[in-house]
Structure formats: structure tokens, C-alpha cells
Coordinates of all heavy atoms in Angstrom, one line a residue:
R1 N -5.9 14.4 -0.3 CA -4.9 13.8 -1.1 C -4.8 12.3 -0.6 O -4.9 12.0 0.5 CB -3.6 14.5 -1.0 CG -3.6 15.8 -1.6 CD -2.2 16.2 -1.7 NE -2.2 17.4 -2.5 CZ -1.1 18.1 -2.8 NH1 0.0 17.8 -2.3 NH2 -1.2 19.2 -3.5
R2 N -4.5 11.5 -1.6 CA -4.3 10.1 -1.4 C -3.1 9.8 -0.4 O -3.2 8.9 0.4 CB -4.1 9.4 -2.7 CG -4.0 7.9 -2.5 CD -4.1 7.2 -3.9 NE -5.4 6.8 -4.1 CZ -5.8 6.0 -5.0 NH1 -4.9 5.6 -5.9 NH2 -7.0 5.6 -5.1
K3 N -2.0 10.5 -0.6 CA -0.9 10.2 0.3 C -1.2 10.5 1.7 O -0.7 9.9 2.6 CB 0.4 10.9 -0.2 CG 0.5 12.4 0.1 CD 1.8 13.0 -0.3 CE 1.9 14.4 0.2 NZ 3.2 15.0 -0.1
N4 N -2.0 11.5 2.0 CA -2.4 11.9 3.4 C -3.2 10.7 4.0 O -3.1 10.4 5.1 CB -3.1 13.2 3.4 CG -2.2 14.3 3.1 OD1 -1.0 14.2 3.1 ND2 -2.8 15.4 2.6
A5 N -4.2 10.2 3.2 CA -5.0 9.1 3.6 C -4.1 7.9 3.9 O -4.3 7.2 5.0 CB -6.0 8.7 2.6
C6 N -3.1 7.6 3.1 CA -2.2 6.5 3.3 C -1.4 6.8 4.5 O -1.1 5.8 5.3 CB -1.3 6.3 2.1 SG -2.2 5.8 0.6
G7 N -1.0 8.0 4.7 CA -0.2 8.4 5.9 C -1.0 8.1 7.2 O -0.5 7.7 8.2
A8 N -2.3 8.5 7.1 CA -3.2 8.2 8.3 C -3.3 6.8 8.6 O -3.2 6.3 9.8 CB -4.5 8.8 8.1
L9 N -3.4 5.9 7.6 CA -3.5 4.5 7.8 C -2.2 3.9 8.3 O -2.1 3.0 9.2 CB -3.9 3.8 6.5 CG -5.4 3.9 6.1 CD1 -5.6 3.3 4.7 CD2 -6.3 3.3 7.1
K10 N -1.1 4.5 7.8 CA 0.2 4.1 8.3 C 0.4 4.4 9.8 O 0.8 3.5 10.6 CB 1.3 4.8 7.5 CG 2.7 4.6 8.0 CD 3.7 5.4 7.2 CE 5.0 5.6 8.0 NZ 5.9 6.6 7.4
L11 N 0.0 5.6 10.2 CA 0.0 6.0 11.6 C -0.9 5.1 12.5 O -0.5 4.6 13.5 CB -0.4 7.4 11.7 CG -0.2 8.0 13.1 CD1 1.2 8.0 13.6 CD2 -0.8 9.4 13.2
L12 N -2.1 4.9 12.0 CA -3.0 4.0 12.8 C -2.5 2.6 12.9 O -2.6 2.0 13.9 CB -4.4 4.0 12.1 CG -5.2 5.3 12.3 CD1 -6.4 5.3 11.4 CD2 -5.7 5.5 13.7
S13 N -1.9 2.1 11.8 CA -1.4 0.7 11.8 C -0.2 0.5 12.6 O 0.2 -0.6 12.9 CB -1.2 0.2 10.4 OG -0.2 0.8 9.8
S14 N 0.5 1.6 13.0 CA 1.7 1.5 13.8 C 1.4 1.1 15.2 O 2.3 0.6 15.9 CB 2.5 2.8 13.7 OG 1.8 3.8 14.4
K15 N 0.2 1.3 15.6 CA -0.3 0.9 17.0 C -0.8 -0.5 16.9 O -1.7 -0.8 16.2 CB -1.4 1.9 17.5 CG -1.0 3.3 17.4 CD 0.0 3.7 18.5 CE 0.2 5.2 18.5 NZ 1.5 5.6 18.7
K16 N -0.2 -1.4 17.7 CA -0.6 -2.8 17.8 C -2.1 -3.0 18.0 O -2.7 -3.8 17.3 CB 0.2 -3.5 18.9 CG -0.1 -5.0 19.0 CD 0.8 -5.6 20.0 CE 0.5 -7.1 20.2 NZ 0.5 -7.9 19.1
Q17 N -2.7 -2.2 18.8 CA -4.2 -2.4 19.1 C -5.1 -2.1 17.9 O -6.2 -2.5 17.9 CB -4.6 -1.6 20.3 CG -4.6 -0.1 20.2 CD -3.3 0.5 20.6 OE1 -2.2 -0.1 20.6 NE2 -3.3 1.8 20.9
N18 N -4.6 -1.4 16.9 CA -5.4 -1.0 15.7 C -5.2 -2.0 14.6 O -6.0 -2.0 13.6 CB -5.0 0.4 15.2 CG -5.3 1.4 16.2 OD1 -6.2 1.3 17.0 ND2 -4.6 2.5 16.2
R19 N -4.2 -2.8 14.6 CA -3.9 -3.6 13.4 C -5.0 -4.6 13.0 O -5.3 -4.6 11.8 CB -2.6 -4.3 13.6 CG -1.4 -3.4 13.6 CD -0.1 -4.1 13.9 NE 1.0 -3.1 14.0 CZ 2.1 -3.3 14.7 NH1 2.3 -4.5 15.3 NH2 3.0 -2.3 14.8
K20 N -5.5 -5.3 13.9 CA -6.5 -6.3 13.5 C -7.8 -5.6 13.1 O -8.4 -6.0 12.1 CB -6.8 -7.3 14.7 CG -7.7 -8.4 14.3 CD -7.8 -9.4 15.4 CE -8.7 -10.6 15.0 NZ -8.9 -11.6 16.0
K21 N -8.1 -4.6 13.8 CA -9.4 -3.8 13.4 C -9.2 -3.3 12.0 O -10.2 -3.3 11.2 CB -9.6 -2.7 14.4 CG -9.9 -3.1 15.8 CD -10.0 -1.9 16.7 CE -10.0 -2.4 18.2 NZ -9.8 -1.3 19.1
L22 N -8.1 -2.6 11.7 CA -7.9 -2.1 10.4 C -7.9 -3.2 9.3 O -8.6 -3.0 8.3 CB -6.6 -1.3 10.3 CG -6.5 0.1 10.8 CD1 -5.1 0.6 10.8 CD2 -7.4 1.0 10.0
C23 N -7.2 -4.2 9.5 CA -7.1 -5.3 8.5 C -8.5 -5.9 8.2 O -8.7 -6.3 7.1 CB -6.1 -6.3 9.0 SG -5.6 -7.4 7.6
W24 N -9.3 -6.1 9.2 CA -10.6 -6.8 9.1 C -11.7 -5.8 8.8 O -12.8 -6.2 8.6 CB -10.9 -7.6 10.4 CG -10.0 -8.8 10.5 CD1 -8.6 -8.7 10.8 CD2 -10.3 -10.1 10.2 NE1 -8.1 -10.0 10.8 CE2 -9.1 -10.9 10.5 CE3 -11.4 -10.8 9.9 CZ2 -9.1 -12.3 10.3 CZ3 -11.4 -12.1 9.8 CH2 -10.2 -12.9 10.0
T25 N -11.4 -4.5 8.6 CA -12.4 -3.5 8.3 C -12.7 -3.6 6.8 O -11.7 -3.5 6.0 CB -12.0 -2.1 8.7 OG1 -11.9 -2.1 10.1 CG2 -13.0 -1.1 8.2
V26 N -13.9 -3.8 6.4 CA -14.3 -3.9 5.0 C -13.8 -2.6 4.2 O -14.1 -1.5 4.7 CB -15.8 -4.1 4.8 CG1 -16.2 -4.0 3.3 CG2 -16.2 -5.4 5.4
G27 N -13.1 -2.8 3.2 CA -12.6 -1.7 2.3 C -11.2 -1.3 2.5 O -10.6 -0.6 1.7
T28 N -10.6 -1.6 3.7 CA -9.2 -1.1 3.9 C -8.2 -1.8 3.0 O -7.5 -1.1 2.3 CB -8.8 -1.4 5.4 OG1 -9.7 -0.8 6.3 CG2 -7.4 -1.0 5.7
L29 N -8.2 -3.1 2.9 CA -7.3 -3.8 2.0 C -7.5 -3.5 0.6 O -6.5 -3.2 -0.2 CB -7.3 -5.3 2.3 CG -6.7 -5.7 3.7 CD1 -6.8 -7.2 3.9 CD2 -5.3 -5.2 3.9
P30 N -8.8 -3.4 0.1 CA -9.0 -3.0 -1.3 C -8.5 -1.6 -1.6 O -8.0 -1.3 -2.7 CB -10.5 -3.2 -1.5 CG -10.9 -4.2 -0.5 CD -10.0 -4.0 0.7
A31 N -8.6 -0.7 -0.6 CA -8.2 0.7 -0.8 C -6.6 0.7 -1.0 O -6.1 1.4 -1.8 CB -8.6 1.6 0.3
L32 N -6.0 -0.1 -0.1 CA -4.5 -0.1 -0.2 C -4.1 -0.8 -1.5 O -3.1 -0.3 -2.1 CB -4.0 -0.9 1.1 CG -4.2 -0.2 2.4 CD1 -3.8 -1.1 3.6 CD2 -3.4 1.1 2.5
T33 N -4.8 -1.8 -1.9 CA -4.4 -2.5 -3.2 C -4.6 -1.5 -4.3 O -3.7 -1.5 -5.2 CB -5.4 -3.7 -3.4 OG1 -5.2 -4.6 -2.3 CG2 -5.0 -4.4 -4.7
S34 N -5.6 -0.7 -4.3 CA -5.8 0.3 -5.4 C -4.7 1.3 -5.5 O -4.4 1.7 -6.6 CB -7.2 1.0 -5.3 OG -7.1 2.0 -4.3
V35 N -4.1 1.7 -4.4 CA -3.0 2.6 -4.4 C -1.8 1.9 -5.2 O -1.2 2.6 -6.0 CB -2.5 3.0 -3.0 CG1 -1.3 3.8 -3.1 CG2 -3.6 3.8 -2.3
L36 N -1.5 0.7 -4.8 CA -0.4 0.0 -5.5 C -0.7 -0.3 -7.0 O 0.2 -0.4 -7.8 CB -0.1 -1.3 -4.8 CG 0.3 -1.2 -3.3 CD1 0.5 -2.6 -2.7 CD2 1.5 -0.4 -3.2
D37 N -2.0 -0.4 -7.3 CA -2.4 -0.8 -8.7 C -2.5 0.4 -9.6 O -2.8 0.3 -10.8 CB -3.8 -1.5 -8.7 CG -3.6 -3.0 -8.6 OD1 -2.5 -3.5 -8.9 OD2 -4.6 -3.7 -8.3
D38 N -2.4 1.6 -9.1 CA -2.6 2.8 -9.9 C -1.7 3.0 -11.1 O -2.1 3.6 -12.0 CB -2.4 4.1 -9.0 CG -3.7 4.5 -8.3 OD1 -4.7 3.9 -8.6 OD2 -3.6 5.4 -7.5
V39 N -0.6 2.4 -11.1 CA 0.3 2.5 -12.3 C -0.2 1.7 -13.5 O 0.2 2.0 -14.6 CB 1.8 2.1 -11.9 CG1 2.4 3.0 -10.9 CG2 1.9 0.7 -11.5
G40 N -1.0 0.7 -13.2 CA -1.5 -0.1 -14.3 C -0.4 -1.0 -14.9 O 0.7 -1.0 -14.4
P41 N -0.7 -1.6 -16.1 CA 0.3 -2.5 -16.7 C 1.5 -1.9 -17.4 O 2.4 -2.6 -17.8 CB -0.6 -3.3 -17.7 CG -1.6 -2.3 -18.1 CD -1.9 -1.5 -16.8
Y42 N 1.5 -0.5 -17.6 CA 2.5 0.1 -18.4 C 3.6 0.8 -17.6 O 4.5 1.4 -18.2 CB 1.8 1.1 -19.4 CG 0.8 0.4 -20.2 CD1 -0.5 0.7 -20.1 CD2 1.2 -0.5 -21.2 CE1 -1.5 0.0 -20.8 CE2 0.2 -1.2 -22.0 CZ -1.1 -0.9 -21.8 OH -2.1 -1.6 -22.5
G43 N 3.5 0.8 -16.3 CA 4.6 1.3 -15.5 C 4.3 2.8 -15.1 O 3.4 3.4 -15.6
I44 N 5.1 3.2 -14.1 CA 4.9 4.5 -13.5 C 5.1 5.7 -14.4 O 4.4 6.7 -14.4 CB 5.8 4.6 -12.2 CG1 5.3 5.8 -11.4 CG2 7.3 4.7 -12.6 CD1 5.9 5.8 -10.0
E45 N 6.1 5.6 -15.3 CA 6.4 6.7 -16.2 C 5.2 7.0 -17.2 O 4.9 8.1 -17.5 CB 7.7 6.5 -17.0 CG 8.9 6.8 -16.2 CD 9.3 5.6 -15.3 OE1 8.8 4.4 -15.6 OE2 10.1 5.7 -14.4
T46 N 4.6 5.9 -17.6 CA 3.5 6.0 -18.5 C 2.2 6.5 -17.8 O 1.5 7.3 -18.3 CB 3.2 4.7 -19.2 OG1 4.4 4.2 -19.9 CG2 2.0 4.8 -20.2
A47 N 2.0 5.9 -16.6 CA 0.8 6.3 -15.8 C 0.9 7.7 -15.3 O -0.1 8.4 -15.2 CB 0.7 5.3 -14.6
F48 N 2.1 8.2 -14.9 CA 2.2 9.5 -14.3 C 3.4 10.2 -15.0 O 4.5 10.3 -14.5 CB 2.5 9.4 -12.8 CG 1.5 8.7 -12.1 CD1 1.7 7.4 -11.5 CD2 0.2 9.2 -11.9 CE1 0.8 6.7 -10.8 CE2 -0.8 8.5 -11.2 CZ -0.5 7.3 -10.7
P49 N 3.2 10.8 -16.2 CA 4.3 11.4 -16.9 C 4.7 12.7 -16.2 O 5.9 13.1 -16.3 CB 3.7 11.8 -18.3 CG 2.2 11.6 -18.2 CD 1.9 10.7 -17.0
D50 N 3.9 13.4 -15.5 CA 4.3 14.6 -14.7 C 5.0 14.2 -13.5 O 4.5 13.4 -12.7 CB 3.0 15.3 -14.3 CG 3.3 16.7 -13.7 OD1 4.3 16.8 -12.9 OD2 2.5 17.6 -13.9
I51 N 6.2 14.6 -13.3 CA 7.1 14.2 -12.2 C 6.5 14.6 -10.9 O 6.7 13.8 -9.9 CB 8.5 14.9 -12.4 CG1 9.5 14.3 -11.4 CG2 8.5 16.4 -12.2 CD1 9.9 12.8 -11.6
R52 N 5.8 15.7 -10.8 CA 5.2 16.1 -9.5 C 4.1 15.0 -9.1 O 4.1 14.6 -7.9 CB 4.6 17.5 -9.6 CG 5.6 18.6 -9.7 CD 5.0 19.9 -10.0 NE 4.3 19.7 -11.3 CZ 3.5 20.6 -11.8 NH1 3.3 21.8 -11.2 NH2 3.0 20.4 -13.0
I53 N 3.3 14.6 -10.0 CA 2.3 13.6 -9.7 C 2.9 12.3 -9.4 O 2.5 11.6 -8.5 CB 1.3 13.5 -10.9 CG1 0.5 14.8 -11.0 CG2 0.3 12.4 -10.7 CD1 -0.3 14.9 -12.3
R54 N 4.0 12.0 -10.1 CA 4.7 10.7 -9.9 C 5.3 10.7 -8.5 O 5.3 9.7 -7.8 CB 5.8 10.5 -10.9 CG 6.4 9.1 -10.9 CD 7.5 8.9 -12.0 NE 7.1 9.5 -13.2 CZ 8.0 10.1 -14.0 NH1 9.2 10.3 -13.8 NH2 7.5 10.7 -15.2
N55 N 5.8 11.8 -8.0 CA 6.4 11.9 -6.7 C 5.3 11.8 -5.6 O 5.5 11.1 -4.6 CB 7.1 13.3 -6.5 CG 8.4 13.3 -7.2 OD1 9.0 12.3 -7.6 ND2 8.9 14.5 -7.5
E56 N 4.1 12.3 -5.9 CA 3.0 12.1 -5.0 C 2.6 10.6 -4.9 O 2.3 10.1 -3.8 CB 1.8 13.0 -5.4 CG 2.0 14.4 -5.3 CD 1.9 14.9 -3.9 OE1 1.1 14.5 -3.1 OE2 2.8 15.8 -3.5
Y57 N 2.6 10.0 -6.0 CA 2.2 8.6 -6.1 C 3.3 7.8 -5.3 O 3.0 6.9 -4.5 CB 2.1 8.1 -7.5 CG 2.1 6.6 -7.5 CD1 0.9 5.9 -7.2 CD2 3.2 5.8 -7.9 CE1 0.9 4.5 -7.2 CE2 3.1 4.4 -7.9 CZ 2.0 3.8 -7.5 OH 1.9 2.4 -7.5
D58 N 4.6 8.1 -5.5 CA 5.6 7.4 -4.8 C 5.5 7.5 -3.3 O 5.7 6.5 -2.6 CB 7.0 7.9 -5.3 CG 7.5 7.4 -6.6 OD1 7.0 6.3 -7.0 OD2 8.4 8.0 -7.2
E59 N 5.1 8.6 -2.9 CA 5.0 8.8 -1.4 C 3.8 8.0 -0.9 O 3.9 7.4 0.1 CB 4.8 10.3 -1.1 CG 4.8 10.6 0.4 CD 6.1 10.2 1.1 OE1 7.2 10.3 0.5 OE2 6.0 9.7 2.3
A60 N 2.7 8.0 -1.6 CA 1.5 7.3 -1.2 C 1.9 5.8 -1.3 O 1.5 5.0 -0.3 CB 0.3 7.5 -2.2
R61 N 2.6 5.3 -2.2 CA 3.0 3.9 -2.3 C 3.9 3.5 -1.1 O 3.7 2.5 -0.5 CB 3.7 3.7 -3.6 CG 4.1 2.2 -3.8 CD 4.7 1.9 -5.1 NE 6.0 2.6 -5.2 CZ 6.9 2.4 -6.1 NH1 6.6 1.6 -7.1 NH2 8.1 3.0 -6.1
K62 N 4.8 4.4 -0.8 CA 5.7 4.1 0.4 C 4.9 3.9 1.7 O 5.1 3.0 2.4 CB 6.7 5.2 0.6 CG 7.8 5.2 -0.4 CD 8.8 6.3 0.0 CE 9.3 7.0 -1.3 NZ 10.1 8.2 -1.0
R63 N 3.9 4.8 1.8 CA 3.1 4.8 3.0 C 2.2 3.5 3.0 O 2.0 3.0 4.1 CB 2.3 6.1 3.1 CG 3.1 7.3 3.4 CD 2.4 8.6 3.3 NE 3.3 9.7 3.5 CZ 2.8 11.0 3.7 NH1 1.5 11.2 3.6 NH2 3.7 11.9 3.8
T64 N 1.7 3.2 1.8 CA 0.9 2.0 1.7 C 1.7 0.7 2.0 O 1.2 -0.2 2.8 CB 0.4 1.9 0.3 OG1 -0.5 3.0 0.1 CG2 -0.4 0.6 0.1
V65 N 2.9 0.6 1.5 CA 3.8 -0.5 1.8 C 4.0 -0.6 3.3 O 4.0 -1.7 3.9 CB 5.1 -0.5 1.0 CG1 6.1 -1.5 1.4 CG2 4.7 -0.7 -0.5
Q66 N 4.3 0.5 3.9 CA 4.6 0.5 5.4 C 3.4 0.1 6.1 O 3.4 -0.7 7.1 CB 5.1 1.8 5.9 CG 5.5 1.8 7.3 CD 6.6 0.8 7.6 OE1 7.6 0.9 7.0 NE2 6.4 -0.1 8.6
T67 N 2.2 0.5 5.7 CA 0.9 0.1 6.4 C 0.8 -1.4 6.2 O 0.4 -2.0 7.2 CB -0.2 0.8 5.7 OG1 -0.1 2.3 5.9 CG2 -1.6 0.4 6.3
L68 N 1.0 -1.9 5.1 CA 0.9 -3.4 4.9 C 1.8 -4.2 5.7 O 1.5 -5.2 6.3 CB 1.0 -3.7 3.4 CG -0.2 -3.3 2.5 CD1 0.2 -3.4 1.0 CD2 -1.4 -4.0 2.8
L69 N 3.1 -3.6 5.9 CA 4.0 -4.3 6.7 C 3.6 -4.3 8.2 O 3.7 -5.3 8.9 CB 5.4 -3.6 6.6 CG 6.2 -3.9 5.3 CD1 7.4 -3.0 5.2 CD2 6.6 -5.3 5.3
N70 N 3.0 -3.1 8.6 CA 2.5 -3.0 10.0 C 1.4 -4.0 10.2 O 1.3 -4.7 11.2 CB 2.0 -1.6 10.3 CG 3.1 -0.6 10.4 OD1 4.3 -0.9 10.5 ND2 2.8 0.7 10.2
L71 N 0.4 -4.1 9.2 CA -0.7 -5.0 9.4 C -0.2 -6.5 9.4 O -0.8 -7.3 10.2 CB -1.7 -4.8 8.2 CG -2.4 -3.4 8.2 CD1 -3.3 -3.3 7.0 CD2 -3.2 -3.2 9.5
A72 N 0.8 -6.8 8.6 CA 1.3 -8.2 8.5 C 2.0 -8.6 9.8 O 2.3 -9.8 10.0 CB 2.1 -8.3 7.3
A73 N 2.4 -7.6 10.6 CA 3.1 -8.0 11.9 C 2.2 -8.8 12.8 O 2.7 -9.6 13.6 CB 3.5 -6.7 12.6
E74 N 0.9 -8.7 12.6 CA -0.1 -9.6 13.3 C -0.3 -10.8 12.5 O -0.9 -10.8 11.4 CB -1.4 -8.8 13.6 CG -1.3 -7.6 14.4 CD -0.7 -7.8 15.8 OE1 -1.1 -8.8 16.4 OE2 0.2 -7.1 16.2
K75 N 0.0 -12.0 13.1 CA -0.1 -13.2 12.4 C -1.5 -13.5 11.8 O -1.6 -14.0 10.7 CB 0.4 -14.4 13.3 CG 0.7 -15.6 12.6 CD 1.4 -16.6 13.6 CE 1.8 -17.8 12.8 NZ 2.6 -18.7 13.6
E76 N -2.5 -13.2 12.6 CA -3.9 -13.5 12.2 C -4.3 -12.6 11.0 O -5.3 -13.0 10.4 CB -4.9 -13.4 13.4 CG -4.9 -12.1 14.0 CD -4.0 -11.9 15.2 OE1 -3.1 -12.7 15.4 OE2 -4.1 -10.9 15.9
N77 N -3.6 -11.6 10.7 CA -3.9 -10.7 9.6 C -3.4 -11.3 8.3 O -3.9 -10.9 7.2 CB -3.4 -9.3 9.8 CG -4.1 -8.5 10.8 OD1 -5.2 -8.9 11.3 ND2 -3.6 -7.4 11.2
R78 N -2.4 -12.1 8.3 CA -1.7 -12.5 7.1 C -2.6 -13.3 6.2 O -2.5 -13.1 4.9 CB -0.5 -13.3 7.5 CG 0.6 -12.4 8.2 CD 1.8 -13.2 8.6 NE 2.5 -12.5 9.6 CZ 3.5 -13.0 10.4 NH1 3.7 -14.3 10.3 NH2 4.1 -12.2 11.2
I79 N -3.4 -14.1 6.7 CA -4.3 -14.9 5.8 C -5.3 -14.1 5.1 O -5.6 -14.2 4.0 CB -4.9 -16.1 6.6 CG1 -5.5 -17.2 5.6 CG2 -6.0 -15.7 7.5 CD1 -4.5 -18.0 5.0
V80 N -5.9 -13.1 5.9 CA -6.8 -12.2 5.3 C -6.2 -11.3 4.2 O -6.7 -11.1 3.1 CB -7.4 -11.2 6.4 CG1 -8.3 -10.2 5.8 CG2 -8.1 -12.0 7.4
M81 N -5.0 -10.9 4.4 CA -4.2 -10.1 3.5 C -3.9 -11.0 2.2 O -4.1 -10.5 1.1 CB -2.9 -9.6 4.1 CG -3.2 -8.6 5.2 SD -1.7 -8.1 6.1 CE -0.9 -7.1 4.8
F82 N -3.5 -12.2 2.4 CA -3.2 -13.1 1.3 C -4.4 -13.3 0.4 O -4.3 -13.4 -0.8 CB -2.6 -14.4 1.8 CG -2.2 -15.3 0.7 CD1 -1.0 -15.2 0.0 CD2 -3.1 -16.4 0.4 CE1 -0.7 -16.0 -1.0 CE2 -2.7 -17.3 -0.7 CZ -1.5 -17.1 -1.3
H83 N -5.6 -13.4 1.0 CA -6.8 -13.7 0.3 C -7.5 -12.4 -0.2 O -8.6 -12.5 -0.9 CB -7.7 -14.6 1.1 CG -7.3 -16.0 1.2 ND1 -7.3 -16.8 0.2 CD2 -6.7 -16.6 2.3 CE1 -6.8 -18.0 0.6 NE2 -6.4 -17.9 1.8
S84 N -7.0 -11.3 0.1 CA -7.6 -10.0 -0.4 C -7.4 -9.9 -1.9 O -6.2 -10.0 -2.4 CB -7.0 -8.8 0.3 OG -7.6 -7.6 -0.2
P85 N -8.4 -9.8 -2.7 CA -8.3 -9.9 -4.2 C -7.3 -8.8 -4.7 O -7.4 -7.6 -4.5 CB -9.7 -9.6 -4.7 CG -10.6 -10.0 -3.6 CD -9.8 -9.7 -2.3
G86 N -6.3 -9.3 -5.4 CA -5.3 -8.4 -6.1 C -4.2 -7.9 -5.2 O -3.2 -7.4 -5.8
L87 N -4.2 -8.1 -3.9 CA -3.2 -7.5 -3.1 C -1.8 -8.1 -3.3 O -0.8 -7.4 -3.5 CB -3.6 -7.6 -1.6 CG -2.6 -7.1 -0.6 CD1 -2.3 -5.6 -0.9 CD2 -3.1 -7.3 0.8
V88 N -1.7 -9.4 -3.3 CA -0.4 -10.1 -3.5 C 0.2 -9.7 -4.9 O 1.3 -9.4 -5.0 CB -0.6 -11.6 -3.4 CG1 0.7 -12.3 -3.7 CG2 -1.0 -12.0 -2.0
Q89 N -0.7 -9.7 -5.9 CA -0.2 -9.4 -7.3 C 0.3 -7.9 -7.3 O 1.3 -7.6 -8.0 CB -1.3 -9.6 -8.3 CG -1.7 -11.0 -8.5 CD -2.7 -11.5 -7.4 OE1 -3.1 -10.8 -6.5 NE2 -3.1 -12.8 -7.5
A90 N -0.5 -7.0 -6.6 CA 0.0 -5.6 -6.6 C 1.3 -5.5 -5.9 O 2.1 -4.7 -6.3 CB -1.1 -4.8 -5.9
L91 N 1.5 -6.2 -4.8 CA 2.8 -6.2 -4.1 C 3.9 -6.7 -5.0 O 5.0 -6.1 -5.0 CB 2.7 -7.0 -2.8 CG 2.0 -6.3 -1.6 CD1 1.7 -7.3 -0.5 CD2 2.8 -5.1 -1.2
I92 N 3.6 -7.7 -5.7 CA 4.7 -8.3 -6.6 C 5.1 -7.3 -7.6 O 6.2 -7.0 -7.9 CB 4.2 -9.6 -7.2 CG1 4.1 -10.7 -6.2 CG2 5.1 -10.0 -8.4 CD1 3.4 -12.0 -6.6
R93 N 4.1 -6.6 -8.3 CA 4.4 -5.6 -9.3 C 5.1 -4.4 -8.6 O 6.1 -3.9 -9.2 CB 3.1 -5.0 -9.9 CG 2.6 -5.9 -11.0 CD 1.5 -5.2 -11.8 NE 0.3 -4.9 -11.0 CZ -0.6 -5.7 -10.6 NH1 -0.6 -7.0 -11.0 NH2 -1.7 -5.4 -9.9
T94 N 4.8 -4.0 -7.4 CA 5.5 -3.0 -6.7 C 6.9 -3.3 -6.5 O 7.8 -2.5 -6.7 CB 4.8 -2.6 -5.4 OG1 3.5 -2.2 -5.6 CG2 5.5 -1.6 -4.6
I95 N 7.2 -4.6 -6.1 CA 8.5 -5.0 -5.9 C 9.3 -5.0 -7.2 O 10.5 -4.6 -7.3 CB 8.5 -6.5 -5.3 CG1 8.0 -6.4 -3.8 CG2 9.9 -7.1 -5.3 CD1 7.7 -7.7 -3.2
E96 N 8.7 -5.5 -8.3 CA 9.4 -5.5 -9.6 C 9.7 -4.1 -10.1 O 10.7 -3.9 -10.7 CB 8.5 -6.3 -10.6 CG 8.4 -7.7 -10.4 CD 7.4 -8.4 -11.3 OE1 6.5 -7.7 -11.9 OE2 7.4 -9.7 -11.3
E97 N 8.8 -3.2 -9.8 CA 9.0 -1.8 -10.4 C 9.8 -0.9 -9.4 O 10.2 0.2 -9.8 CB 7.7 -1.2 -10.6 CG 6.9 -1.8 -11.7 CD 5.5 -1.2 -11.9 OE1 5.2 -0.3 -11.1 OE2 4.8 -1.6 -12.8
D98 N 10.0 -1.4 -8.2 CA 10.6 -0.5 -7.1 C 12.0 -0.1 -7.5 O 12.8 -0.8 -8.0 CB 10.6 -1.3 -5.8 CG 11.0 -0.5 -4.7 OD1 10.8 0.8 -4.7 OD2 11.5 -1.0 -3.7
M99 N 12.2 1.2 -7.2 CA 13.5 1.8 -7.5 C 14.2 2.1 -6.1 O 14.7 3.1 -5.9 CB 13.4 3.0 -8.3 CG 12.7 2.8 -9.6 SD 13.5 3.7 -10.9 CE 12.5 3.3 -12.3
M100 N 14.0 1.1 -5.2 CA 14.6 1.2 -3.8 C 13.9 2.3 -3.0 O 14.5 2.7 -2.0 CB 16.1 1.5 -3.9 CG 16.9 0.5 -4.7 SD 16.7 -1.2 -4.2 CE 17.7 -1.2 -2.7
D101 N 12.7 2.7 -3.3 CA 12.0 3.6 -2.6 C 11.0 3.0 -1.6 O 10.9 3.3 -0.5 CB 11.2 4.6 -3.5 CG 12.2 5.5 -4.2 OD1 13.3 5.8 -3.7 OD2 11.8 5.9 -5.3
A102 N 10.2 2.1 -2.1 CA 9.1 1.5 -1.3 C 9.7 0.2 -0.7 O 9.3 -0.3 0.2 CB 7.9 1.2 -2.2

């Protein structure tokens, strides 16, 4: 499950010694971006009409946001994160759609 993978990244990123390695590993930031982008342009209710699936997505999104916060704690990661294609836009959409969960 996607939320479990996001949880593993959250746990790994909680350790200072892992943050730079994770952030600079090819594929990590695009994978996190894809989790945030899953709702598409029409919003969460349209993307996930089934409440159970929507709850799974919400949990994955929360774990993704926490992972990104952990990674951003390292100053040298911020520029890589900022330049990761689509990441900033996905975060903005997440903030706009957030219902105080993520």
C-alpha cells in the first residue's frame, strides 16, 4: 500500500542522518510529488468517491507532508526540493484543499 511506503519514508526521514541521502536519491521527490498529485485537478471527492479509498489517500498524504517537512529541516535539501518538478505546485494544491488534516 502507498500509505505504508509513505510511512516508511516518514520514519526514515525522521532520522537526521538519512535526510540528505533520501532527498538526493533519484526518484524519492518525484514519488512524494505523485502522492500529493493523485487527486488531480478536480479535487479529492471526484478523484476518490469511495470514502475508504479517500481515507487511505488522506493518510498517505499526511505521511508525505511530514516526510517533506523532515527533509526540509536540512537546509541543503531545500533547493533540491524547490527545483523538483511539480513539488511546489503539489504542495500548494495540498494546502488549498487541506481540511486541517495534512
